[in-house]
Amino acid sequence: MAKKKQLKVTQIGSPIGRPKDQRATLVGLGLNKMHRSRVLEDTPSVRGMCAKIHHLVKVEEVSA
């Protein structure tokens, strides 16, 4: 059984002064403070959320 790919998403930008939908996307990814990281399953929805706020997050593939 193949392991599912994972992404490490780290918040590098502040949501201050950003539109509500970008703030909500950060919360949806489980991020709420600068330099916090989450390891999430690599799915199209997570990729889309990261693409929407690419200027606020750093995305790395986790080799597990």
Side-chain angles (χ1 to χ4, degrees):
M1 188 166 155
K3 282 201 166 193
K4 294 188 178 188
K5 291 185 181 178
Q6 294 184 325
L7 298 174
K8 181 179 179 184
V9 183
T10 305
Q11 183 177 343
I12 59 168
S14 173
I16 295 173
R18 304 288 179 185
K20 276 187 178 181
D21 63 327
Q22 291 181 8
R23 291 179 186 218
T25 303
L26 278 173
V27 172
L29 289 171
L31 301 171
N32 63 349
K33 293 187 179 178
M34 295 284 291
H35 309 292
R36 292 243 175 123
S37 298
R38 298 280 300 205
V39 177
L40 304 167
E41 191 174 321
D42 186 5
T43 62
S45 59
V46 170
R47 287 272 183 178
M49 291 170 83
C50 291
K52 181 175 182 175
I53 56 170
H54 65 92
H55 55 288
L56 299 176
V57 296
K58 177 174 71 170
V59 180
E60 305 170 72
E61 291 189 16
V62 176
S63 57

